[in-house]
């Protein structure tokens, strides 16, 4: 244990304390030492709980998983190094060549890419279809269809999936219903209560909430599938770092309050934007003019979400003027931060689409998606009034 200068090359044992910390300690250790081979046997055989190697599991990941398990009403969820790692664990870890996978046609861009480009390369056929159109989904199902991956509220056009219809169809056909609950969060919607088989989160967004950590989560109702997801994540190294988990837990302690405040302000902002000259349309799932309003109200239990999309009457010049004048708001392609962020799909998330496809989705040069944060509501509405006025001046 001592080197030739007599100093210790192992950390000193932690001092004994009769009291306990109120904050989860950070455990960056990659390996865990056991007392004897017999003690290690007991761990591997599940007779006692213990950690071995942090890719296989560590306390900071386990506390985040336990918190999300409780929020989603499930057991055995796995925390992953990013939201996309969770999506990958499901799409790659639970399929084989010859299977068929259906994806919602407005999924997050990287999920779409994984489905449209990577799965076919591995011999897994895929189809994209509108999760609000049950006939289209039914028509896409084949005998070899393994799963359907959908988001509850789509990005950035905030269309609402027919979760009840999808759950019934999946049950009837033996297809797994996989729900990416990132936008809605377990406070807005609990997919397992509505028949989902697997739930995915990008913890990076609202759950962690401070744009300083990338993390994901995946859980399955069936313990056998949950174990397969855990083993696949461990084998392929999708598992997370202790520090990211530590930061995420810290953020999640205030998640309920942040979500409540952000979605209330978002509803106010949607109504405010609708009354401004220079705004062509506003999209917010529970507004009276949203085509999926009834479904949104039922699924989101009367709550909304923190996302609002809107379209300026002008084109790219108006969008530039708006972003320049939106004082104090980050023009950044993310969501769920404590501060309000603006995303412009035509120049970011949807830039790779053809102009025709963007037009089909209604994503003009004047289209913005707003992730509402925790600013004082009146001050936030004033910033939007000024920025929309600046955009109207150049239209
Ligand atoms: C709905 C949704 N799912 C998954 C992801 C991927 O998450 P991450 O960025 O943590 O990999 C995102 C990222 O924006 C997202 O919006």
């Amino acid at each position: 244990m001592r080197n030739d200068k007599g100093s210790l090359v192992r950390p000193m044992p932690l001092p004994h304390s009769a009291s306990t910390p109120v904050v989860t300690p950070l455990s960056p250790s990659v390996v865990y030492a056991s007392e004897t081979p017999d003690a290690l046997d007991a761990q591997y055989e599940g007779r006692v709980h213990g950690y071995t190697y942090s890719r296989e599991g560590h306390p900071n990941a386990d506390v985040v998983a336990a918190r999300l398990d409780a929020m989603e009403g499930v057991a055995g969820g796995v925390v992953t190094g990013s939201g996309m790692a969770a999506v990958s664990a499901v799409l790659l870890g639970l399929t084989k060549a010859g299977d068929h996978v259906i994806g919602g046609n407005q999924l997050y861009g990287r999920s779409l890419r994984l489905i449209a480009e990577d799965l076919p390369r591995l011999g897994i056929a895929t189809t994209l279809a509108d999760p609000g159109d049950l006939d289209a989904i039914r028509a896409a199902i084949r005998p070899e269809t393994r799963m359907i991956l959908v988001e509850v509220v789509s990005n950035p056009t905030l269309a609402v999936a027919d979760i009840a219809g999808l759950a019934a169809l999946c049950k009837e056909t033996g297809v797994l219903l996989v729900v990416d609950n990132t936008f809605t969060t377990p406070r807005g919607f609990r997919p397992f209560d509505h028949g989902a088989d697997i739930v995915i989160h990008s913890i990076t967004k609202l759950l962690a909430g401070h744009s300083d950590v990338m993390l994901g989560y995946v859980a399955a109702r069936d313990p056998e599938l949950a174990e397969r997801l855990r083993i696949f994540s461990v084998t392929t190294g999708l598992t997370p770092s202790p520090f990211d988990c530590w930061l995420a837990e810290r953020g999640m302690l205030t998640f309920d309050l942040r979500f409540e405040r952000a979605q209330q302000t978002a509803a106010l902002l949607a109504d405010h934007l609708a009354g401004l000259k220079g705004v062509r349309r506003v999209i917010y799932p529970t507004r009276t003019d949203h085509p999926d309003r009834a479904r949104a109200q039922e699924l989101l239990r009367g709550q909304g979400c923190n996302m609002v999309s809107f379209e300026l009457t002008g084109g790219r010049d108006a969008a530039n003027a708006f972003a320049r004048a939106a004082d104090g708001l980050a023009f950044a392609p993310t969501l769920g931060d404590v501060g309000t962020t603006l995303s412009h799909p035509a120049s970011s998330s949807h830039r790779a689409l053809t102009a025709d496809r963007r037009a089909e989705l209604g994503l003009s040069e004047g289209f913005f998606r707003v992730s509402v944060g925790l600013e004082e509501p009146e001050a936030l509405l004033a910033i939007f009034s000024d920025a929309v006025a600046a955009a109207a001046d150049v239209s």
Side-chain angles (χ1 to χ4, degrees):
M1 192 65 100
R2 285 171 188 278
N3 68 17
D4 55 6
K5 292 198 178 73
S7 63
L8 293 171
V9 295
R10 283 267 151 252
M12 297 291 283
L14 283 174
H16 172 74
S17 170
S19 50
T20 51
V22 296
V23 170
T24 304
L26 175 63
S27 300
S29 192
V30 165
V31 284
Y32 289 78
S34 302
E35 207 179 349
T36 60
D38 278 355
L40 198 54
D41 272 352
Q43 262 178 241
Y44 275 121
E45 287 161 15
R47 285 180 275 126
V48 294
H49 176 66
Y51 298 100
T52 51
Y53 192 59
S54 70
R55 181 164 33 74
E56 314 261 333
H58 54 76
N60 293 105
D62 283 356
V63 292
V64 173
R67 186 171 283 272
L68 258 164
D69 284 354
M71 291 166 92
E72 288 291 9
V74 71
V78 179
V79 176
T80 54
S82 67
M84 277 317 296
V87 174
S88 302
V90 175
L91 291 178
L92 301 172
L94 300 181
T95 54
K96 59 178 186 331
D99 282 348
H100 173 243
V101 167
I102 301 174
N105 58 357
Q106 287 194 43
L107 289 173
Y108 172 61
R110 291 280 160 195
S111 302
L112 274 180
R113 191 188 159 100
L114 194 54
I115 291 176
E117 295 185 26
D118 295 292
L119 293 189
R121 187 170 45 76
L122 301 172
I124 299 157
T126 63
T127 308
L128 298 175
D130 177 357
D133 179 351
L134 219 51
D135 291 337
I137 299 282
R138 187 183 283 279
I141 292 180
R142 309 175 186 173
E144 62 276 17
T145 304
R146 172 80 172 130
M147 63 177 69
I148 299 177
L149 168 62
V150 298
E151 291 168 21
V152 186
V153 174
S154 75
N155 174 23
T157 52
L158 312 186
V160 184
D162 183 353
I163 297 286
L166 288 171
L169 188 55
C170 284
K171 198 165 175 201
E172 175 194 324
T173 51
V175 170
L176 294 172
L177 177 59
V178 184
V179 176
D180 180 335
N181 203 24
T182 300
F183 262 46
T184 20
T185 83
R187 192 166 166 87
F189 179 69
R190 298 210 328 169
F192 288 120
D193 296 347
H194 295 258
D197 297 291
I198 294 177
V199 172
I200 290 171
H201 279 284
S202 168
I203 297 178
T204 314
K205 310 297 178 199
L206 284 135
L207 288 163
H210 294 71
S211 294
D212 53 9
V213 52
M214 294 219 94
L215 226 52
Y217 165 87
V218 58
R221 180 202 299 277
D222 174 355
E224 195 252 328
L225 286 184
E227 183 59 5
R228 284 178 58 185
L229 288 165
R230 192 188 66 75
I231 291 173
F232 185 80
S233 302
V234 168
T235 304
T236 51
L238 301 178
T239 40
S241 98
F243 185 55
D244 285 350
C245 295
W246 186 87
L247 274 176
E249 192 197 16
R250 187 172 192 259
M252 285 167 75
L253 297 178
T254 56
F255 164 70
D256 276 5
L257 282 175
R258 287 187 287 101
F259 183 73
E260 184 84 358
R261 165 73 173 247
Q263 64 98 11
Q264 280 170 4
T265 309
L268 289 176
L269 177 65
D271 290 342
H272 180 70
L273 283 168
L276 295 181
K277 180 172 162 286
V279 171
R280 179 173 289 132
R281 66 181 174 130
V282 175
I283 312 177
Y284 190 67
T286 49
R287 253 178 73 83
T288 46
D289 56 0
H290 194 291
D292 302 331
R293 180 178 191 237
R295 206 182 273 162
Q297 282 197 311
E298 192 192 320
L299 292 181
L300 304 177
R301 293 174 293 178
Q303 300 193 89
C305 63
N306 82 313
M307 308 297 290
V308 181
S309 292
F310 71 98
E311 190 180 0
L312 295 166
T313 48
R316 177 58 75 97
D317 288 347
N320 285 335
F322 174 83
R324 245 183 252 117
D327 204 17
L329 310 186
F331 174 52
T334 190
L335 65 105
D337 186 66
V338 284
T340 295
T341 53
L342 305 170
S343 141
H344 181 249
S347 64
S348 58
S349 52
H350 292 66
R351 66 176 299 125
L353 299 189
T354 60
D356 281 354
R357 177 67 186 136
R358 276 203 299 271
E360 250 176 62
L361 294 171
L363 301 176
S364 69
E365 286 291 344
F367 191 101
F368 278 90
R369 185 197 76 183
V370 187
S371 166
V372 176
L374 308 183
E375 293 86 355
E376 204 275 308
E378 286 304 314
L380 189 69
L381 301 193
I383 292 171
F384 274 90
S385 297
D386 292 349
V388 169
D393 281 349
V394 300
S395 298

